[in-house]
Amino acid sequence: MADFRVLVMLILSLVSVCVESKYMVYDTAQGVVKDKVNVHLVAHTHDDVGWLKTVDQYYVGSNNSIQGACVRNVLDSVVQALLADKNRKFIYVEQAFFQRWWNDQSEKTQAIVKRLVSSGQLEMINGGWCMHDEAAPHYIDMIDQTTYGHKFIKEQFNVTPRIGWQIDPFGHSAVQAYLLGAEVGFDSLFFGRIDYQDRAKRKADKHLEVIWRASKTLGSSSQIFAGAFPENVYEPPTSEFYFEVNADSPIVQDNVNLFDYNVEERVNAFVAAALSQANFTRTNHVMWTMGTDFKYQYAESWFRNMDKFIHYVNKDGRVNALYSTPSIYTDAKYAETNTWPLKKDDYFPYASDINAYWTGYFTSRPALKGYVRMLSGYYLAARQLEAMKGRNKTGPTTDYLADALGTAQHHDAVSGTSQQHVANDYAKRLAIGHKEAEKVVAESIACMLSPKPGCASLATNIQQCPLLNITNCPPTEADLSSGKKLVVVVYNSLGWKRSDVIRLPVASENLAVYDSNEKEIESQIFPIINESISIRNYYTAAYTGKPPSSTPKYWLAFTATVPPLGFSTYTISSTKKPASTPVKEEFYMHTGAQNNDIEIGTGNLKLIYSGSEGKLSHYVNSRSAIDASLKQSYSFYAGFDGTTGLQASGAYIFRPNGTYPIGSQKQNITVLRGPIYDEVHHKIKSWIYQITRVYKNKEHAELEFTVGPIPIGDGVGKEIATRISTTIKSNETFYTDSNGRDFIERIRDYRADWDLEVNQPIAGNYYPINLGMYLKDEQSELSVLVDRSVGGSSIVDGELELMLHRRLLYDDGKGVAEAINETVCVGNDCRGLAVQGKYYLRMDPLGEGAKWRRSYGQEIYSPLLLAFMEQDENKGTNFQVSKFSGMDSTYSLPDNVALLTLQELEDGKVLLRLAHLYEIGEDKDLSVMTSVELKKLFAKRKITNVSEMSLSANQGRSKMEKKRLVWKVEGSKNDDEPAGQRGGPVDPHKLVVELAPMEIRTFIVTVGKTLSRRLVSSDLSR
């Protein structure tokens, strides 16, 4: 009888084996189960829009000796894997790649993908052109690249992304949370990298997921549910759950006919990891990010194993596993509890361990950062001009520049953390986009000067000077003595009238400048220094492939006054003798005995230099009664080399190994004096040259620096900083901007969210600077504004510090696998990169600095755009229009409002964005509700409809607000959560837009078809 039972068991066993060995249908339909730990499996790939390879190399899968990655394979494979099981889900982020792939697909495949998106199997997350960085980009660039991606998603799929997914940027900004999160309609925001000390405390307190109220002005109206991942990655929870082909993780082997059957073992590992994560996560929902960089190139390998996990884990019953997305996860969290901990401000700086502060990239590749910022302002102006003329359906357009700038906002692009050949590729794309946009600008200006049919053909006579920063501008350097004159068109993209000094390299000092009324205006001639000519010759050859054919001798300067959203014209003609006031050049050699101070400036502002040392000593403003000690110096941080196996300073990491002053205690200076501005020339080292300018009609100092090539012959990498020192009692406190928008209080060696263990007292106090920084005491303020993204700090009370350039000799081990050692070659002449830039400083009585920071900050971002035409001297200026404003001639925007976007869309409608520039309480006069009259902004154009949109213009504002989840803060009541003031609805008849402090409002404006769609006003003036 016993033998019979054994036989029966063997037969049943064999039957069981036969059943298991047949085709297995896995139950993957499981949803959320109440009262169990729910493991949300989020299948994703993180596809860098350039890093170790260029964006195109990543897409097509070339250059695999660097990295085996092909995004085209990922998307091809994912679509097929999703079709195999309707319960599978996948999220995708980077539209720079997705749109490339989409354009390669047949109509049949596109239809399949549309069904996958509609069903929720494929979800577009974040949705921008790239996953932008959060330290180096300006907020306008962040908005533009997000809008660019969202527009495509809306047009092709009629969906609006609702989740922010910033999983790889190296720290997270306040602007990202409230502006690029809540204001675009996102319900939640997820990210990977926060400080290792912060993460440890948040895990212990179950505060990884919070309500992030990042704007003190907009308050709870712009807060968002935000979650940091449990570990410093966006990968599966442990190394046991990677399923790319050739991955080391053990697969789920469930075929009992084969060796290594391991279902029970794999289920136990899954359950253990899930319960571990549940220990520091609120509610019974945890998210597993199933993927990482460029994964799912063979998607079935991942999905097959997740199918099995879902099937067998749910049969086990201890936890519940399901295919999910961040949207499903967010809704589950929202349904479980109503209150969450509160987070304010931002997540900067980021440290991954004790000596690894990711604050070096705030300055890495400063030339690329400057190029991006310059073209960002140019793009803003070019879109305005394109809208005024009317978008050209057959080209040229500003679209290529939009693509290039969108790509450049990626968190390994403008951040300066890509390999060198990839950085070159970013610059190349920007240059091509710039060239195309120059054609748009030239055609628009030609048609505004001569508004008649065929006007665009005149654009061939219009030149621009993209290399003006290196003293190269061929049209202004031409010989005008042979019966020629030069017309300068000066365009102002700001919404208010402005006056600024134009500086042009010229060949002769015998020149006069005339305004549009043919009246001679004051001008100034300064000599061009040898250092500038040297930079010009070398970098012109590097950029164009050949050296310049001639050499200008002088800078011609004059003041241009330009109406809002318009242009003025000026004419430069040859004269028989210098028309400008002769330059006064003074050379001061330090002797130690000279006690007379050297005073610079002819207006309200005076800079005082010590006669005995040749150094800046005082700042005096006669209008504001500021008379303060002010000093400026250079130093370098020696980069830690890491040769002993310790953390090196590199593209990402700032780890100084000592601080060293640059320059002697006593220095020689040259002073040039003129009627428009004075200059102080200061050769600090053979590789550091500084020009300080004080303008007669401005109350700030402009400091132009040329740094490089940084010497490395001693084998030491160097990080160059400048310091501005005062006697202000700042009490360890200073203020830095968030992506050029809000200012955030910083306290040295302090974090509001945890008790900081100070390991790197310099690197750990560095923050990203996009607009500027300031410090103050009870009497005065010191403000510094910048022309690009840099790193900055206040290491000593009363002192502000900017890092201007970096040249390092070792890789920091964080992935890029190269030292940040930029070089430029002209033939066999290779040199370390020299960087030229500017920063601006000003002192004010307490409470009065915000006006300058905000207004002049806009002027730095949007410099006057210059175009040039040569004409015959004896023919007169043959323009129908010599001065123009796109607005009503009696109108300008309020001082606290900026025009962020004026762009004609493909359907002829106009995308309009207006921004209030001030935070609540920032300025006693300007931190108030204000308004813009659209009828005057669109002068003489009949507006037929105005629709208010979300920030990225992919949905109506009211619809967005109605459907957004409303999150509650732990320990608060509805009536004690400040919501922030907002402007009211736009009356369709009055067409007046209200703007509350820090508010940005976005509109689609329809112009009546009975009138020209061109926005060029008919009240053009001579």
Side-chain angles (χ1 to χ4, degrees):
M1 192 68 174
D3 290 340
F4 176 76
R5 287 198 298 267
V6 170
L7 179 61
V8 171
M9 291 177 65
L10 285 171
I11 293 171
L12 290 174
S13 177
L14 287 172
V15 171
S16 175
V17 168
C18 291
V19 170
E20 290 291 350
S21 65
K22 291 182 179 180
Y23 176 74
M24 181 70 180
V25 177
Y26 297 103
D27 182 1
T28 59
Q30 186 66 59
V32 169
V33 174
K34 190 175 178 60
D35 298 327
K36 278 189 180 181
V37 171
N38 289 272
V39 183
H40 294 251
L41 300 180
V42 176
H44 80 106
T45 179
H46 174 62
D47 298 341
D48 290 303
V49 185
W51 181 37
L52 308 182
K53 305 199 297 189
T54 70
V55 58
D56 285 348
Q57 290 170 350
Y58 272 135
Y59 175 66
V60 300
S62 61
N63 210 0
N64 282 337
S65 61
I66 296 177
Q67 184 181 14
C70 178
V71 175
R72 181 163 55 189
N73 286 352
V74 171
L75 291 169
D76 285 344
S77 180
V78 164
V79 169
Q80 295 306 312
L82 293 178
L83 291 174
D85 183 345
K86 66 179 182 179
N87 298 311
R88 292 174 173 177
K89 293 178 172 57
F90 192 82
I91 64 171
Y92 199 75
V93 175
E94 295 85 3
Q95 295 306 302
F97 287 126
F98 191 85
Q99 291 188 40
R100 279 171 167 79
W101 180 82
W102 181 259
N103 293 333
D104 286 345
Q105 305 309 305
S106 66
E107 290 185 4
K108 179 180 178 181
T109 300
Q110 288 182 350
I112 290 170
V113 173
K114 286 183 178 182
R115 290 198 298 272
L116 291 173
V117 172
S118 178
S119 69
Q121 277 192 269
L122 176 61
E123 183 172 351
M124 298 298 174
I125 297 291
N126 229 25
W129 195 243
C130 67
M131 186 183 294
H132 55 227
D133 185 49
E134 296 185 39
H138 194 276
Y139 76 94
I140 295 177
D141 289 327
M142 297 165 81
I143 294 171
D144 284 342
Q145 81 87 17
T146 302
T147 301
Y148 197 49
H150 283 192
K151 178 174 177 290
F152 168 82
I153 295 171
K154 183 68 174 179
E155 289 174 349
Q156 296 298 330
F157 305 109
N158 194 32
V159 297
T160 56
R162 54 177 293 233
I163 306 296
W165 190 253
Q166 290 289 112
I167 59 176
D168 197 26
F170 329 117
H172 305 282
S173 73
V175 157
Q176 175 63 40
Y178 85 84
L179 198 60
L180 278 304
E183 293 296 303
V184 298
F186 289 166
D187 283 318
S188 60
L189 168 65
F190 297 98
F191 42 88
R193 301 184 188 272
I194 64 173
D195 188 280
Y196 73 102
Q197 296 181 40
D198 190 13
R199 185 186 308 276
K201 186 172 190 304
R202 291 185 180 280
K203 288 174 70 172
D205 296 343
K206 293 192 174 184
H207 282 194
L208 285 170
E209 293 172 325
V210 298
I211 304 303
W212 192 354
R213 187 179 297 166
S215 170
K216 59 179 176 287
T217 299
L218 298 177
S220 62
S221 70
S222 64
Q223 67 191 22
I224 191 169
F225 179 80
F229 297 148
E231 302 302 329
N232 192 27
V233 289
Y234 39 87
E235 306 184 7
T238 75
S239 60
E240 294 187 76
F241 301 99
Y242 290 79
F243 301 113
E244 197 73 9
V245 172
N246 298 327
D248 294 333
S249 299
I251 64 169
V252 181
Q253 205 296 83
D254 61 344
N255 188 335
V256 296
N257 280 337
L258 306 178
F259 291 162
D260 301 323
Y261 179 86
N262 65 357
V263 170
E264 183 177 358
E265 172 189 327
R266 302 304 294 128
V267 168
N268 286 339
F270 187 102
V271 172
L275 294 178
S276 174
Q277 185 169 334
N279 285 331
F280 39 80
T281 304
R282 294 193 178 197
T283 79
N284 62 334
H285 296 274
V286 297
M287 182 198 300
W288 283 15
T289 48
M290 298 300 289
T292 185
D293 295 5
F294 301 101
K295 301 308 180 188
Y296 289 77
Q297 295 190 64
Y298 177 53
E300 186 61 27
S301 178
W302 284 87
F303 280 112
R304 182 188 300 123
N305 280 278
M306 286 189 287
D307 286 350
K308 294 179 180 181
F309 271 122
I310 292 171
H311 180 84
Y312 291 114
V313 166
N314 292 341
K315 285 182 68 176
D316 174 84
R318 285 175 287 173
V319 301
N320 182 60
L322 66 153
Y323 277 122
S324 188
T325 68
S327 295
I328 295 171
Y329 178 79
T330 297
D331 290 339
K333 288 283 187 177
Y334 185 76
E336 286 289 330
T337 184
N338 290 325
T339 63
W340 297 88
L342 179 66
K343 162 68 181 173
K344 296 183 178 180
D345 298 334
D346 62 9
Y347 287 91
F348 282 117
Y350 160 59
S352 55
D353 56 57
I354 188 169
N355 290 317
Y357 276 88
W358 297 50
T359 54
Y361 83 97
F362 299 161
T363 299
S364 293
R365 301 195 188 279
L368 178 62
K369 284 177 164 67
Y371 195 31
V372 169
R373 182 61 52 84
M374 183 272 284
L375 289 181
S376 176
Y378 188 88
Y379 176 54
L380 183 149
R383 283 182 293 170
Q384 293 177 357
L385 291 165
E386 184 177 41
M388 291 176 187
K389 171 188 170 293
R391 183 179 170 88
N392 191 335
K393 294 183 179 179
T394 60
T397 70
T398 57
D399 291 349
Y400 197 103
L401 184 54
D403 184 312
L405 275 170
T407 300
Q409 306 313 314
H410 170 60
H411 59 269
D412 284 307
V414 69
S415 59
T417 56
S418 70
Q419 289 199 351
Q420 183 63 57
H421 76 106
V422 180
N424 295 342
D425 184 72
Y426 291 134
K428 180 179 180 179
R429 293 173 186 278
L430 290 167
I432 294 171
H434 187 193
K435 197 71 175 178
E436 182 83 357
E438 278 187 326
K439 297 175 185 177
V440 174
V441 168
E443 288 187 3
S444 300
I445 288 176
C447 289
M448 289 195 292
L449 291 169
S450 300
K452 58 186 178 182
C455 56
S457 63
L458 301 175
T460 56
N461 300 322
I462 296 175
Q463 299 182 67
Q464 296 170 64
C465 293
L467 302 183
L468 185 57
N469 66 310
I470 56 170
T471 324
N472 186 323
C473 186
T476 70
E477 297 167 26
D479 182 6
L480 299 179
S481 62
S482 56
K484 299 290 185 180
K485 63 182 179 182
L486 184 70
V487 177
V488 184
V489 180
V490 185
Y491 178 73
N492 173 23
S493 59
L494 297 182
W496 57 73
K497 179 180 178 181
R498 67 190 284 194
S499 294
D500 209 348
V501 174
I502 307 297
R503 300 173 60 252
L504 303 171
V506 296
S508 170
E509 61 181 327
N510 298 333
L511 298 171
V513 182
Y514 302 87
D515 65 14
S516 58
N517 296 318
E518 301 182 352
K519 177 183 177 181
E520 184 176 354
I521 63 172
E522 185 175 54
S523 61
Q524 175 175 311
I525 289 282
F526 274 2
I528 296 177
I529 60 173
N530 292 334
E531 286 78 4
S532 294
I533 296 300
S534 176
I535 291 285
R536 162 195 163 92
N537 291 341
Y538 185 79
Y539 282 92
T540 297
Y543 189 82
T544 67
K546 58 184 179 180
S549 57
S550 61
T551 301
K553 297 180 180 179
Y554 306 98
W555 284 107
L556 172 66
F558 61 93
T559 300
T561 301
V562 195
L565 210 64
F567 67 79
S568 297
T569 56
Y570 293 85
T571 304
I572 301 172
S573 299
S574 178
T575 61
K576 294 182 179 180
K577 60 181 181 179
S580 63
T581 305
V583 61
K584 297 178 181 178
E585 184 170 353
E586 305 163 2
F587 177 73
Y588 296 90
M589 178 181 293
H590 74 79
T591 63
Q594 182 177 349
N595 293 319
N596 295 332
D597 288 336
I598 305 163
E599 185 178 282
I600 310 300
T602 59
N604 291 332
L605 175 61
K606 303 286 192 301
L607 295 185
I608 311 299
Y609 287 75
S610 164
S612 60
E613 295 184 345
K615 291 185 175 183
L616 180 62
S617 63
H618 269 78
Y619 180 106
V620 178
N621 186 322
S622 58
R623 180 196 59 81
S624 63
I626 290 284
D627 186 344
S629 171
L630 182 70
K631 298 180 180 180
Q632 187 244 345
S633 62
Y634 284 86
S635 62
F636 75 84
Y637 294 105
F640 204 96
D641 61 21
T643 54
T644 59
L646 301 176
Q647 177 63 58
S649 205
Y652 301 94
I653 305 300
F654 175 32
R655 189 184 180 194
N657 188 20
T659 309
Y660 303 89
I662 299 175
S664 62
Q665 292 298 311
K666 299 176 180 179
Q667 298 169 357
N668 303 330
I669 61 173
T670 299
V671 177
L672 302 178
R673 301 186 188 274
I676 298 175
Y677 64 89
D678 292 351
E679 285 185 346
V680 178
H681 289 249
H682 191 181
K683 190 171 185 177
I684 293 140
K685 283 286 187 181
S686 62
W687 50 279
I688 299 182
Y689 198 96
Q690 179 175 290
I691 303 173
T692 303
R693 298 188 182 95
V694 178
Y695 295 88
K696 179 180 180 180
N697 295 319
K698 297 184 184 297
E699 296 185 10
H700 66 264
E702 174 185 293
L703 291 90
E704 180 181 288
F705 60 87
T706 303
V707 176
I710 299 172
I712 54 173
D714 56 1
V716 177
K718 299 174 180 68
E719 310 182 57
I720 313 305
T722 185
R723 295 187 177 116
I724 301 96
S725 304
T726 70
T727 57
I728 290 175
K729 297 177 177 60
S730 53
N731 192 28
E732 303 181 338
T733 303
F734 58 108
Y735 302 82
T736 69
D737 71 274
S738 177
N739 302 109
R741 193 79 179 129
D742 309 64
F743 279 93
I744 298 178
E745 181 183 76
R746 311 296 190 184
I747 300 174
R748 195 161 54 249
D749 295 335
Y750 172 80
R751 304 290 187 269
D753 294 330
W754 78 95
D755 293 330
L756 177 67
E757 178 183 329
V758 179
N759 300 304
Q760 288 289 325
I762 296 174
N765 285 299
Y766 253 68
Y767 292 88
I769 314 296
N770 274 278
L771 168 60
M773 59 193 307
Y774 70 96
L775 48 76
K776 63 183 181 179
D777 61 14
E778 294 180 356
Q779 282 78 41
S780 58
E781 303 178 14
L782 168 68
S783 303
V784 174
L785 301 181
V786 297
D787 68 347
R788 71 198 68 193
S789 173
V790 298
S793 187
S794 176
I795 303 300
V796 177
D797 278 2
E799 183 175 281
L800 293 178
E801 172 177 315
L802 298 174
M803 185 182 290
L804 304 178
H805 197 359
R806 316 176 75 218
R807 189 181 187 189
L808 298 163
L809 306 180
Y810 296 89
D811 175 49
D812 56 20
K814 299 305 178 186
V816 74
E818 281 186 357
I820 190 80
N821 182 9
E822 296 181 277
T823 57
V824 179
C825 293
V826 177
N828 294 323
D829 181 9
C830 294
R831 309 175 186 178
L833 178 69
V835 171
Q836 187 178 86
K838 296 177 183 178
Y839 65 94
Y840 312 81
L841 66 86
R842 172 166 164 151
M843 296 188 73
D844 287 285
L846 180 64
E848 296 184 16
K851 286 187 177 69
W852 179 71
R853 290 191 293 269
R854 293 300 185 180
S855 61
Y856 199 70
Q858 287 300 117
E859 294 188 21
I860 294 170
Y861 180 83
S862 294
L864 294 170
L865 188 154
L866 306 178
F868 307 93
M869 287 162 290
E870 192 177 87
Q871 294 189 334
D872 291 333
E873 179 72 38
N874 56 2
K875 287 188 177 180
T877 304
N878 55 348
F879 302 136
Q880 291 176 252
V881 179
S882 59
K883 194 172 185 179
F884 160 82
S885 175
M887 300 183 183
D888 185 291
S889 59
T890 65
Y891 187 67
S892 66
L893 293 185
D895 291 343
N896 48 7
V897 173
L899 176 61
L900 301 189
T901 309
L902 182 67
Q903 176 181 1
E904 183 176 339
L905 305 175
E906 288 86 346
D907 59 4
K909 296 179 181 179
V910 176
L911 176 63
L912 173 70
R913 276 194 196 90
L914 299 165
H916 198 300
L917 292 174
Y918 288 77
E919 298 178 69
I920 189 169
E922 189 175 8
D923 184 87
K924 60 183 177 62
D925 300 315
L926 296 172
S927 294
V928 296
M929 183 75 75
T930 189
S931 61
V932 173
E933 299 179 50
L934 296 186
K935 290 180 180 179
K936 293 184 177 179
L937 178 59
F938 290 79
K940 300 291 191 284
R941 297 292 76 129
K942 182 175 176 57
I943 297 172
T944 60
N945 188 64
V946 175
S947 300
E948 184 165 11
M949 310 297 289
S950 65
L951 184 68
S952 61
N954 65 346
Q955 58 186 315
R957 175 82 193 191
S958 60
K959 180 180 179 181
M960 179 199 82
E961 290 177 340
K962 288 177 182 177
K963 69 180 185 179
R964 276 195 69 221
L965 302 180
V966 179
W967 300 87
K968 301 298 183 181
V969 173
E970 192 173 64
S972 65
K973 299 178 181 179
N974 290 338
D975 56 0
D976 64 4
E977 294 188 8
Q981 192 178 18
R982 298 277 183 166
V986 177
D987 186 289
H989 303 291
K990 296 180 180 179
L991 295 177
V992 175
V993 176
E994 293 181 332
L995 289 157
M998 276 291 108
E999 188 174 23
I1000 298 177
R1001 300 184 72 175
T1002 303
F1003 302 92
I1004 299 294
V1005 181
T1006 305
V1007 181
K1009 294 182 180 180
T1010 56
L1011 297 174
S1012 169
R1013 285 191 180 275
R1014 279 175 40 199
L1015 302 181
V1016 176
S1017 175
S1018 60
D1019 59 346
L1020 303 170
S1021 56
R1022 290 286 298 177

